Amino acid sequence: VGSSGLIYVFDLSRPHTYADINEEIDLLKSEFPNEPLKIVGNKKDLIHDVDLDQILANMTISCDFITSAKTGEYVDDMFYTLGEDILK
């Protein structure tokens, strides 16, 4: 397919975007078993820290990064880390 890496991004402020995250991640891993995958919760700027802690505590899968595309927080780190994983 030509993929070197995968980024699964969901919106922290909209629970329906991660309601089926386990099934979706399992599908990606089965379709692309050798590709590095980063799981990213986005829109950190819209979530209070207490709410973020609760969201993450209730998830059954861990996020690699919590980002804000609006502020740029951890976006570069996520791409840099994915690039490193691709080159391994």
Side-chain angles (χ1 to χ4, degrees), residues 4-67:
S4 296
L6 305 166
I7 304 170
Y8 180 95
V9 181
F10 64 92
D11 183 340
L12 290 163
S13 68
R14 295 181 179 181
H16 72 275
T17 66
Y18 54 90
D20 297 323
I21 192 169
N22 291 328
E23 294 83 10
E24 292 169 356
I25 295 300
D26 288 345
L27 176 64
L28 288 173
K29 287 181 177 179
S30 70
E31 293 290 321
F32 304 96
N34 300 317
E35 308 302 334
L37 168 67
K38 297 299 175 202
I39 302 169
V40 181
N42 190 42
K43 296 195 179 179
K44 182 180 185 277
D45 55 291
L46 297 180
I47 304 294
H48 296 290
D49 288 341
V50 173
D51 295 330
L52 177 60
D53 291 342
Q54 184 177 5
I55 290 167
L56 296 176
N58 289 328
M59 294 186 76
T60 56
I61 198 163
S62 63
C63 295
D64 296 300
F65 290 92
I66 301 299
T67 65

